[in-house]
Amino acid sequence: MIVRVRTKDGNFRFDLQPTADVSELFSKILETTADADENSFTISNKPRGGEVDIQSLKGRSLKEIGVNHGDLFFVQYKARGEGHTIAPGTSSSASNAPSSAQDGSHRAWESAQEDAVDTYWRSRDGKIPRQRDAQFCKHGPKGMCDYCMPLEPYDAAYHTEHGIKHLSYHSYLHKITPKSSSDSASSLPPLNPLDYKVKVPCTAGNHPPWPASICTKCQPSAITLNSQPFRMVDHLEIASMEIIDRFLHAWRMTGSQRFGWLLGRYEPYDKVPMGIKAVVEAIHEPPQEGELDGLTLGLPWEDEPRIRALAAQASTPLTVVGYVFTDLVPTEEDRTKNIYKRHSQSFLMSSLEAIFAATMQSRYPTASKSSPTGKFSSRLVTAILTATEDGQVDVSAYQVSEQAMAMVEADMIEASVDPGIVRLKEEDRTAGSARYIPDVFFTYKNEYGLEVKKSAKPAFPVEYLMVNVTHGFPQNPSPMFRSIQFPIENRPGLEDQRIERALAELARLDAPNILDSKHAKPGEAQKTFALAQWLSDWHLVAFLDTTQLLSPADIHMLLKTVSSPTLLQDQSALDPVLATDGWQTLMTFAREHAPRPKSSAPVSSAMDADDAIPQDVLDQIAAEEAAASGGATPGLKTCPHCTFENDSSRSDCDVCGLPL
């Protein structure tokens, strides 16, 4: 087969066998050079970006690395004494590192730890099955023809027919990966992360680095904004409506906007070929200050390492799959309805939100064996709770494109006063804050239906950076956590997480007297199930993790148990938790919060009963008698959510924090 190579010495054609070793190609390239440093050669299938050290590919055949007949490769090298070529993404200090260390950095994709959903799809071909066509298929029931053979997962006609706007991540990989190397783990990664920064130092090495000067070798190429053909996540599924309703409670009570991190996992999504969905099991709220039309966050999120480590210990490990925030403003005419402001004639995602999404996605890249860096784009989803046309609340889900992430990393764009418009920044050659802005274009169809290219300077529509993600709720909800009663973190003044509340509720549930299934008293199964359901609350477990009453091992056992899918079907499910030392310590404190038993001692006839018994004891006895008879206790209000009795002057429950 013919392999074409382009170097600074010219264009060359080499006739090689597919089974030939890469070292044979390297030898032929060396023959075309003079005084070249053999350790500085890099090869790429693109003019710029994706360079790989040729030395790291030796020992593999051309077929193994995905080389086909007629392929064109771009080779760069340095003359002896000039130093090694610096690959994209490495610092200038890396050029002085040993070649073995550079080889390891070039092959970072081989050590990338992909998500379980990526492992699942890589083990399948993803082809779309079709039934035998009664009209066109002329073969027998076991035959196959063009009318019934499976379709490729990226088939354009299938996507158009089913209204699927974007290819899934793995469908896109199948489309761009050469067929001859699709099953080869050693093939060159097909994805190259975008980089719009000036290369410093310049690979040409014949001029001062930016911002002193710039050349065609180190400056980024012109950018044409396009709709991204694929998306990293196809669907956002929220495990139950109660998760969103509980999150909205703070906004309903205060009118201030709220922000929360979505904790969940990634799973295959069968509505899209080789699709991926993010399943949300809980919303964890960081410290924040809400306002009527926005909110203030502290980043980086200080508690993130603890929450990530804790979530990973669930029965099915969880991680941060996205974030959600509210954008709800009640109408003046009807306070039960909200202003409809996000629509196609206004904006769907503001420029400020898009830039924030790009920043967050860059912080949470996706591990990928299909990228030279071992990382590519991000699966972090942005969910917005906003008003529908009839004033009700609905979820909108988006991601921003890889182009958006690269533009934010290069400090090229900023928010505009108009939420639907993104502004390009001005070029800056100041040392220490240098910014280069290449030519940026976007295309659109004019009134005659013709596609027109227009300069994006000084501004362009935010839609060019967005990727739509569908969303929904399962038809038969089966959330990992069964309770949402415990107060939510970081809601000061509205809901306070206190150990006294947890202990009082444990005492109310008679938790100190509940034994494991082997020693349980007859008829106590209902108590065990009630306790198990109350414990199955993400916010409760996350709070107990901060009290130091339970050891890390006990917290791990508690979370793993209360997140188990069989928790409420097995009476013995709680036994591992009840046997831990941390649980016994917790029960010791809970007993102190249990109601005192009624006194059965007779009152002396020689003295008046009111004088013999203190008033607080009389009040306690009256309360217990009223509770035993099913009547309401004077001066107390029963919480409709957790049935705990509170002082009548309170507006929210002392146990669950919800309004009375």
Side-chain angles (χ1 to χ4, degrees):
M1 66 179 180
I2 299 298
V3 179
R4 298 179 296 154
V5 174
R6 180 176 297 170
T7 71
K8 60 184 177 182
D9 300 306
N11 297 326
F12 305 94
R13 295 160 60 92
F14 304 117
D15 190 358
L16 297 165
Q17 294 297 320
T19 56
D21 192 275
V22 175
S23 57
E24 293 186 34
L25 174 63
F26 183 41
S27 299
K28 290 183 177 292
I29 296 173
L30 275 176
E31 294 174 0
T32 67
T33 65
D35 197 34
D37 183 354
E38 295 185 12
N39 293 322
S40 68
F41 279 78
T42 63
I43 187 171
S44 174
N45 57 358
K46 294 184 177 182
R48 295 181 60 192
E51 290 88 351
V52 176
D53 193 334
I54 294 183
Q55 300 284 2
S56 68
L57 301 175
K58 286 186 175 181
R60 306 181 187 182
S61 69
L62 298 178
K63 182 178 180 181
E64 283 180 338
I65 65 172
V67 177
N68 296 312
H69 175 70
D71 283 353
L72 173 63
F73 292 94
F74 300 85
V75 174
Q76 297 181 14
Y77 68 88
K78 292 286 187 181
R80 289 190 179 95
E82 288 187 34
H84 298 293
T85 300
I86 300 176
T90 60
S91 64
S92 58
S93 60
S95 62
N96 299 320
S99 59
S100 59
Q102 291 191 40
D103 291 352
S105 64
H106 284 315
R107 299 171 62 175
W109 68 88
E110 295 183 350
S111 59
Q113 299 295 318
E114 292 187 317
D115 193 271
V117 73
D118 295 305
T119 304
Y120 173 86
W121 281 125
R122 286 192 185 277
S123 65
R124 289 160 173 77
D125 60 17
K127 290 190 176 181
I128 307 166
R130 291 192 293 174
Q131 299 296 324
R132 184 174 181 272
D133 192 301
Q135 181 179 359
F136 297 103
C137 292
K138 306 302 182 184
H139 51 75
K142 295 185 178 180
M144 185 177 294
C145 67
D146 290 343
Y147 296 104
C148 61
M149 67 184 300
L151 299 173
E152 293 290 348
Y154 49 82
D155 185 80
Y158 179 88
H159 282 71
T160 301
E161 180 183 352
H162 291 80
I164 303 173
K165 296 178 62 177
H166 301 273
L167 293 176
S168 66
Y169 170 63
H170 283 277
S171 294
Y172 181 69
L173 282 181
H174 272 255
K175 183 176 182 179
I176 64 175
T177 303
K179 298 296 180 292
S180 60
S181 61
S182 59
D183 297 327
S184 175
S186 59
S187 58
L188 291 175
L191 298 174
N192 288 298
L194 296 176
D195 187 358
Y196 296 149
K197 299 177 183 177
V198 177
K199 290 186 178 181
V200 179
C202 178
T203 55
N206 54 9
H207 65 80
W210 168 262
S213 63
I214 194 170
C215 72
T216 56
K217 285 282 188 179
C218 58
Q219 73 179 28
S221 302
I223 302 170
T224 299
L225 299 174
N226 296 308
S227 176
Q228 186 166 285
F230 66 94
R231 55 189 175 189
M232 300 298 292
V233 174
D234 302 284
H235 185 73
L236 178 69
E237 179 178 288
I238 301 170
S240 72
M241 288 283 294
E242 286 74 17
I243 296 174
I244 293 296
D245 191 65
R246 189 73 176 87
F247 176 69
L248 281 172
H249 173 69
W251 169 78
R252 292 190 179 109
M253 297 298 294
T254 65
S256 298
Q257 309 303 329
R258 295 296 295 178
F259 178 97
W261 294 102
L262 302 176
L263 301 180
R265 61 189 180 276
Y266 298 106
E267 293 182 350
Y269 181 53
D270 58 4
K271 299 294 190 298
V272 173
M274 305 191 82
I276 295 175
K277 66 179 178 181
V279 181
V280 177
E281 295 287 358
I283 299 176
H284 192 92
E285 301 180 23
Q288 57 193 279
E289 292 183 12
E291 302 173 9
L292 296 179
D293 59 350
L295 51 89
T296 303
L297 287 174
L299 293 173
W301 175 26
E302 294 183 359
D303 207 23
E304 180 180 3
R306 180 183 75 88
I307 295 302
R308 278 185 170 272
L310 182 64
Q313 299 175 25
S315 58
T316 300
L318 304 178
T319 187
V320 176
V321 298
Y323 59 88
V324 60
F325 60 88
T326 61
D327 181 30
L328 297 164
V329 179
T331 61
E332 295 183 359
E333 300 80 12
D334 185 352
R335 305 297 292 179
T336 63
K337 294 186 177 182
N338 301 287
I339 298 175
Y340 178 51
K341 56 182 177 179
R342 293 177 185 260
H343 48 80
S344 58
Q345 304 303 316
S346 175
F347 70 98
L348 300 175
M349 190 180 197
S350 73
S351 55
L352 182 62
E353 293 162 357
I355 292 172
F356 178 78
T359 305
M360 291 298 101
Q361 288 182 200
S362 296
R363 290 187 182 182
Y364 299 91
T366 299
S368 174
K369 294 183 180 296
S370 298
S371 169
T373 62
K375 299 176 181 179
F376 183 75
S377 194
S378 174
R379 289 208 175 101
L380 199 73
V381 178
T382 298
I384 306 172
L385 297 181
T386 187
T388 60
E389 191 169 0
D390 59 359
Q392 302 305 308
V393 180
D394 194 14
V395 182
S396 298
Y398 305 99
Q399 285 195 294
V400 292
S401 65
E402 196 193 359
Q403 284 186 321
M405 294 169 59
M407 294 179 83
V408 169
E409 288 179 355
D411 193 28
M412 292 175 55
I413 56 177
E414 61 186 356
S416 169
V417 175
D418 184 342
I421 296 296
V422 181
R423 286 185 56 84
L424 282 172
K425 291 186 175 181
E426 297 293 332
E427 189 170 301
D428 184 0
R429 288 179 175 261
T430 306
S433 61
R435 180 194 309 119
Y436 177 78
I437 307 297
D439 291 330
V440 182
F441 303 94
F442 66 94
T443 59
Y444 68 97
K445 288 187 177 181
N446 61 14
E447 63 272 22
Y448 304 107
L450 300 176
E451 194 168 89
V452 179
K453 179 180 285 189
K454 182 180 179 180
S455 174
K457 293 182 179 180
F460 61 92
V462 71
E463 285 82 2
Y464 284 86
L465 305 181
M466 295 170 54
V467 178
N468 292 331
V469 177
T470 62
H471 70 277
F473 299 87
Q475 291 183 347
N476 299 305
S478 181
M480 177 179 288
F481 301 103
R482 282 78 169 182
S483 175
I484 53 171
Q485 299 300 323
F486 195 72
I488 292 179
E489 60 282 339
N490 296 310
R491 292 184 174 183
L494 180 64
E495 300 181 31
D496 296 320
Q497 288 187 331
R498 299 200 306 268
I499 189 61
E500 291 82 6
R501 291 187 172 185
L503 296 175
E505 184 64 11
L506 287 168
R508 188 188 70 80
L509 293 169
D510 199 24
N513 298 319
I514 294 178
L515 306 175
D516 59 54
S517 57
K518 295 181 180 178
H519 304 89
K521 299 176 183 178
E524 288 198 345
Q526 191 61 35
K527 286 185 178 181
T528 303
F529 288 140
L531 175 62
Q533 183 169 3
W534 183 76
L535 288 173
S536 185
D537 189 319
W538 163 259
H539 305 285
L540 171 64
V541 177
F543 168 70
L544 290 176
D545 186 42
T546 65
T547 63
Q548 299 183 342
L549 293 176
L550 284 81
S551 68
D554 293 343
I555 287 290
H556 182 192
M557 177 61 68
L558 175 62
L559 179 56
K560 185 176 181 180
T561 300
V562 301
S563 62
S564 171
T566 61
L567 176 65
L568 301 183
Q569 285 75 44
D570 184 3
Q571 186 179 352
S572 63
L574 270 186
D575 288 357
V577 174
L578 301 180
T580 60
D581 293 337
W583 180 259
Q584 300 304 322
T585 302
L586 200 62
M587 292 305 98
T588 300
F589 287 99
R591 289 186 182 94
E592 298 179 2
H593 286 74
R596 286 172 291 181
K598 292 187 295 184
S599 174
S600 58
V603 179
S604 172
S605 59
M607 62 178 66
D608 185 83
D610 291 338
D611 295 332
I613 304 177
Q615 184 60 43
D616 60 338
V617 175
L618 291 174
D619 293 341
Q620 177 71 23
I621 294 173
E624 293 178 356
E625 289 177 346
S629 62
T633 306
L636 297 179
K637 288 195 294 188
T638 301
C639 176
H641 307 284
C642 66
T643 69
F644 187 79
E645 290 188 333
N646 297 264
D647 186 272
S648 59
S649 62
R650 292 188 61 86
S651 61
D652 60 340
C653 178
D654 190 52
V655 171
C656 67
L658 295 176
L660 296 172

